[in-house]
């Protein structure tokens, strides 16, 4: 288990770089905006976990390959994150038979206090929103997912202890 969890995003020329720090491990994963809006998918997945879903998963599609970002509730007060390689990496140009979401080796994994997990992603998403004039993320192919982000913010606020 780790209390040290950091996330940040950088957008440039249709690419999003997600930098994750879990405990002593740090890694950067890239996603493209060519096929899908992976950033919006990520915000929605975190919002689902915040809203009580047991599991949520996101393909973070790089060229070639990418990773799966898997999130889960882990008891009443914790969340888990696991980053897996794609078991079948060629998601852009499926062969015959078509590509399937098969996970490969685990690259990172941690159990995190739920408030830390939610607050870290909320802060990272808020930084993106602040840099997105009129809802468009500079350097990315999609807009900012305001509805999913509002859901996440609401859920986070409802979990914080009242002082």
């Amino acid at each position: 288990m780790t209390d040290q969890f950091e996330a940040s995003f950088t957008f440039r020329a249709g690419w999003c770089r997600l930098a994750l720090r879990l405990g002593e491990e740090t890694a950067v994963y890239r996603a493209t905006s060519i096929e899908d809006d992976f950033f919006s998918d990520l915000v929605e997945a975190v919002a689902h976990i915040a809203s009580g879903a047991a599991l949520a998963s996101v393909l973070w599609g790089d060229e070639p390959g990418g990773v799966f970002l898997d999130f889960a509730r882990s008891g009443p007060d914790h969340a888990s994150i696991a980053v897996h390689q794609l078991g079948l990496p060629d998601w852009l140009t499926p062969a015959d038979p078509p590509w399937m979401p098969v996970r490969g080796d685990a690259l990172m994994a941690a159990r995190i206090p739920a408030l830390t997990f939610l607050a870290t992603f909320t802060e990272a998403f808020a930084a993106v929103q602040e840099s997105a004039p009129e809802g468009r993320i500079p350097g990315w192919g999609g807009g900012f997912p305001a509805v999913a982000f509002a859901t996440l913010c609401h859920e986070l606020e409802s979990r914080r202890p009242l002082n």
Side-chain angles (χ1 to χ4, degrees), residues 4-98:
Q4 297 177 332
F5 177 52
E6 296 175 14
S8 64
F9 299 94
T10 308
F11 297 88
R12 185 167 184 252
W15 289 93
C16 179
R17 290 173 36 117
L18 166 60
L20 285 179
R21 180 172 175 246
L22 294 168
E24 299 301 316
E25 296 180 73
T26 301
V28 174
Y29 305 105
R30 297 181 338 149
T32 178
S33 63
I34 289 175
E35 289 288 319
D36 293 299
D37 186 351
F38 297 115
F39 179 76
S40 291
D41 293 346
L42 178 57
V43 175
E44 290 171 12
V46 174
H48 285 306
I49 293 295
S51 298
L55 296 166
S57 182
V58 176
L59 168 63
W60 196 252
D62 199 349
E63 291 180 33
V67 295
F68 284 107
L69 303 170
D70 297 313
F71 310 119
R73 293 195 155 278
S74 185
D77 299 323
H78 288 83
S80 294
I81 179 172
V83 180
H84 291 91
Q85 290 177 320
L86 301 185
L88 302 173
D90 200 3
W91 63 272
L92 265 178
T93 53
D96 188 18

